[in-house]
Amino acid sequence: MRTEISTLGEFGLIDHLTKEIQLTQPTTRKGVGDDAAVIDNGGKHTLVTTDLLLEGIHFDLTYVPLKHLGYKAAIVNFSDIYAMNGKPQQITVSLGISQRFSVEDLETFYAGVLLACEIYGVDLVGGDTSSSLTGFSISITCIGTADEEKIVYRNGAKDTDLIYVSGDLGAAYMGLQLLEREKAVFGEKGNADFQPDFSGKEYILERQLKPEARRDIVRILSENGIVPTSMIDVSDGLSSDILHICKQSNAGCRIFEERLPIDYQTALMAETFNMNVTTVALNGGEDYELLFTVPLSLHDKMSTLPGIHLVGHITKPDEGCYLVTRDGQEMKLKAQGWNPLEK
Amino acid sequence: MRTEISTLGEFGLIDHLTKEIQLTQPTTRKGVGDDAAVIDNGGKHTLVTTDLLLEGIHFDLTYVPLKHLGYKAAIVNFSDIYAMNGKPQQITVSLGISQRFSVEDLETFYAGVLLACEIYGVDLVGGDTSSSLTGFSISITCIGTADEEKIVYRNGAKDTDLIYVSGDLGAAYMGLQLLEREKAVFGEKGNADFQPDFSGKEYILERQLKPEARRDIVRILSENGIVPTSMIDVSDGLSSDILHICKQSNAGCRIFEERLPIDYQTALMAETFNMNVTTVALNGGEDYELLFTVPLSLHDKMSTLPGIHLVGHITKPDEGCYLVTRDGQEMKLKAQGWNPLEK
C-alpha cells in the first residue's frame, strides 16, 4: 500500500506522524504542536525550536546572497522563540555543503548568522558540517528561555479575545515575486550585465531577504504587563496561523479585511502583478510578525501600544473561522501550508 | 579568492568558521567544541547536540531499512548526550522528503525513531517537515540534562590518567564494508532474487544498522561514584576521538595496539577484506562507544567494572599522541574526519 504524501499535505502529515506520540518525561512540558517545545529542567523553562532549510525549496541562491541567507535562517528561529513570549539565547547551525561552495562562501553565510546573533544577543553553540551530494542544506535549532508563567502557547485564546498582529503583512511574499520575475527576465536575456531596477521596492525586498524577528513587540508587551492568551509567529500566512490558534484553542474567529495592515509597496506590487492584495496579506507567509490574542478588557491599553494592529476577534468554536470582507461577506479562512507537489 | 574546503578538512573547517565566535550569554556554559553544548537556565544544566544526516553521504537506502535508519539517527544523538555524562530527554526530528517517499515510508522511519525513544526514555517534542528536490535529509537535535558537577567535558584529561573504551571497535565499519560488497554484487548480477548470505555476520551488521548508545556505561560509572576526567563518544574512530580529548586537554597519549578491543567477527571480516584490523579499529568510526579518562588512582576499582577496556594512558603534551604497536614501535595517531572530496 502506498499513500502519497500530497493526499495529507504538510499539516495533515505532521498530525498523522505525531498523533501516537506519548510524552513520558516529567521534564517535557510541551511537545509537538507549538512554535517551540517547552522543557523544565528546574529554574527557568527551556524552549526549543528547529528548522530545516533546503536549497531549491526554501531559498534560491540565484538571488539570495549567502550573508542574507545566514541572517534569515537565524531570524526565523528567533521568531519562534519570541512567539512563545521567550528570549532566544543559543543556536546550533548544521550545514550540508556541496563542492561548489568555497571556504569564503561559508564565511559569508556564517557572517550573516553571527550578525543576527550579535544583534539579538544569541550565542552560536554548536552544529554539524557535512558534505552534500546535492544542494545546500541548513538546519538550525534555537534554544530560548522564559519564566514558566509568561510562556504563551497557541491554545489559550478565549471567546471575545481580540486578535492583534504586529507590523504589516504580505511584503515578504511580494518581495519574492519581484525577485522571481527579475530572475526570469535575467534568464531570458542571458546577459550578465543585466541589472534589475529595485528602486522604490527596497522595503518588500528587505522583508524577503533580511526579515527581523519582533523582539520589540515582546518587550513592549512585557513592559506593559500584558501576557497574551495565545501567540504564534506568522510564517505560513495569517490565515494558516490564526487557524492554528483557533484549532488548538478550540475557538472560532473573525478577521476583518479592512483591518489587515498592508504596506504601500506591497499593495503597489500586488497591483503590478495583478494579484489580490488581501490574498497576499492572508496567505503570503514569511512575515515573521507576531499574531496574538488578548482579553477584550485590555482593548484601551492595547490601543496605546505602537506597531500592533487589531485585526479581529475570537468567537465560539461553532461560529467557524472567517474573513469578513469590506462589503460584509464572510469567507472561510483556509490553511495553505506546504504542499509537496509544489516547489 | 576561492579556498577549497578540501584544503581544510572537516575539523579544520569547523575550527576556521567558529574561531571568532564569542560567547556573550551568561546561560551558555559551553559552546562549540564538545559532544554537546551546555546551558544553565537554573536548576539542572541543559545539554544540546545536533546531527544532520544526508542521503548518499551518511546512509544508503539501498541497504539501510528506514526503520533502522530512524533508530540509528536517534541513537547517535543520544550517544552525544551520554558522552557528556548526561541523560537524553527530548529530541526534535526534521525531515526533507522527496516525492518518492510515501506516508507509509515515513511511518516506518518514525517507528524506528519512536522505538529508540521508548527504549531510552526520550520524548519526541518537535521538528519540521519539508519537501526536498533531491534526497532524504534528516536533522535531529537532542536535549539532555545533567547535574552541573557531573558533566564531563573533553578538556579535563590529565597526565597519567588512564584511557578506557567501552565495548569493541571497528565492527560497524566492517558491517558497512560487507553491505557495500553485497550491494556491488547485487548490482552486477542485476537479479532481484539475489539473497546475500549474512549468517555468522549478524554482529557486525547490527553494529552498523542498529547501534546502541552506552547508557549502561554511564549508569555503571555513576553507581560506582566515578566521574571521568574527560569523555567523548567514538563516532569518527578512536584515533580521531582521542586526539580531540588530547587537543582540548592539552595532553598527549599512548594507545596500546594489543589492548584494542576487537570482536571476532570484526577480525575475521577484516581478514576477508585484506584490511589491517588495527586500522579498522582505530579509524573505522560509528562505534558509538564511550572513550574516557580517569585518574590512575582509580585503576583497581575500574578493573572490576564490566564492559570497559583499558587501552592506554594520557601523557604530557610534548610527548605527542602515539599508538604503541605490538612490537613496541610508536606510530603517530592521525585524525581521519570527514573529507569533502570523498563520499
Side-chain angles (χ1 to χ4, degrees), chain B residues 79-332:
Chain B
S79 182
D80 278 319
I81 299 294
Y82 291 124
M84 301 296 287
N85 209 28
K87 181 184 177 318
Q89 296 206 128
Q90 287 90 15
I91 57 168
T92 64
V93 178
S94 295
L95 302 179
I97 310 154
S98 67
Q99 284 197 44
R100 77 193 145 97
F101 285 89
S102 68
V103 173
E104 289 75 17
D105 290 336
L106 294 179
E107 284 172 2
T108 305
F109 176 83
Y110 253 70
V113 172
L114 290 173
L115 178 62
C117 285
E118 188 186 332
I119 291 173
Y120 286 83
V122 171
D123 286 342
L124 196 165
V125 297
D128 191 18
T129 65
S130 156
S131 52
S132 158
L133 291 178
T134 51
F136 190 38
S137 307
I138 308 163
S139 173
I140 294 196
T141 296
C142 185
I143 316 292
T145 186
D147 293 319
E148 180 176 8
E149 65 277 13
K150 289 188 181 157
I151 297 175
V152 179
Y153 295 91
R154 295 179 180 174
N155 64 5
K158 299 268 184 312
D159 183 25
T160 77
D161 278 0
L162 300 174
I163 302 170
Y164 290 86
V165 70
S166 63
D168 58 73
L169 301 170
Y173 182 76
M174 290 320 303
L176 181 64
Q177 299 311 306
L178 178 60
L179 288 164
E180 290 278 2
R181 183 182 73 177
E182 298 303 310
K183 178 187 169 188
V185 171
F186 176 81
E188 273 170 23
K189 295 195 176 170
N191 182 350
D193 296 333
F194 169 70
Q195 284 295 328
D197 178 14
F198 288 147
S199 69
K201 307 177 181 91
E202 294 82 0
Y203 179 69
I204 59 172
L205 288 171
E206 186 162 316
R207 291 280 286 175
Q208 171 57 226
L209 293 173
K210 191 171 174 290
E212 300 293 343
R214 299 310 303 264
R215 164 173 62 167
D216 56 332
I217 300 296
V218 169
R219 190 181 294 155
I220 287 169
L221 292 174
S222 172
E223 285 169 359
N224 285 275
I226 294 163
V227 178
T229 51
S230 70
M231 187 150 64
I232 191 171
D233 73 324
V234 183
S235 53
D236 295 319
L238 183 135
S239 184
S240 289
D241 290 319
I242 193 67
L243 285 171
H244 283 306
I245 284 182
C246 288
K247 185 179 176 189
Q248 296 200 28
S249 298
N250 188 30
C253 72
R254 291 296 177 277
I255 300 290
F256 295 90
E257 183 181 21
E258 64 184 0
R259 287 189 163 272
L260 294 173
I262 295 165
D263 183 78
Y264 176 72
Q265 281 186 23
T266 306
L268 207 65
M269 193 53 55
E271 201 176 299
T272 305
F273 278 91
N274 205 21
M275 286 177 171
N276 180 320
V277 74
T278 297
T279 305
V280 166
L282 284 177
N283 298 318
E286 293 199 277
D287 299 303
Y288 304 109
E289 297 294 345
L290 292 175
L291 175 67
F292 56 94
T293 57
V294 299
L296 180 58
S297 58
L298 290 173
H299 174 268
D300 290 353
K301 190 168 195 178
M302 294 300 291
S303 63
T304 67
L305 304 184
I308 60 169
H309 306 277
L310 176 63
V311 293
H313 60 81
I314 297 293
T315 67
K316 293 193 173 63
D318 55 9
E319 295 180 46
C321 298
Y322 288 91
L323 176 77
V324 181
T325 62
R326 282 198 174 75
D327 58 6
Q329 295 200 327
E330 296 203 332
M331 296 178 60
K332 209 171 169 83

Side-chain angles (χ1 to χ4, degrees), chain A residues 2-3 16 24-25 28 31 41 44 46 52 58 90 100 103-104 107 121 123 128 130-131 139 141 338, chain B residues 2-3 16 24-25 27-28 41 44 46 52 58 90 100 103-104 107 121 123 125 128 130-131 139 141 338:
Chain A
R2 178 182 168 94
T3 310
H16 181 77
T24 62
Q25 299 305 303
T28 306
N41 285 335
K44 287 198 173 201
T46 301
L52 180 63
H58 300 96
Q90 288 90 14
R100 78 194 144 96
V103 173
E104 289 76 18
E107 283 172 2
D123 285 342
D128 192 17
S130 157
S131 50
S139 174
T141 297
W338 151 99
Chain B
R2 180 182 166 95
T3 310
H16 181 76
T24 61
Q25 299 305 304
T27 56
T28 307
N41 285 336
K44 287 196 174 203
T46 301
L52 180 63
H58 301 95
Q90 287 90 15
R100 77 193 145 97
V103 173
E104 289 75 17
E107 284 172 2
D123 286 342
V125 297
D128 191 18
S130 156
S131 52
S139 173
T141 296
W338 150 99

Side-chain angles (χ1 to χ4, degrees), chain A residues 8 33 92 133 147 153 156 158 167 173 181 192 207 211 214 227 248 260 264 273 291 296 298 307 316-317 328 337 342:
Chain A
L8 297 178
T92 64
L133 290 178
D147 293 321
Y153 296 91
K158 300 266 184 311
Y173 182 75
R181 183 183 73 178
R207 292 281 285 175
R214 298 310 304 262
V227 178
Q248 296 200 27
L260 293 174
Y264 175 72
F273 278 92
L291 176 67
L296 181 57
L298 290 174
K316 293 193 174 62
E342 292 176 358

Side-chain angles (χ1 to χ4, degrees), chain A residues 85 220-228 292 294 298 301-302 305:
Chain A
N85 209 26
I220 286 168
L221 292 173
S222 172
E223 285 168 1
N224 285 276
I226 293 164
V227 178
F292 56 95
V294 300
L298 290 174
K301 190 166 195 178
M302 293 301 291
L305 304 184

Side-chain angles (χ1 to χ4, degrees), chain B residues 24-39:
Chain B
T24 61
Q25 299 305 304
T27 56
T28 307
R29 292 304 172 92
K30 178 77 192 181
V32 172
D34 218 300
D35 296 283
V38 179
I39 294 165

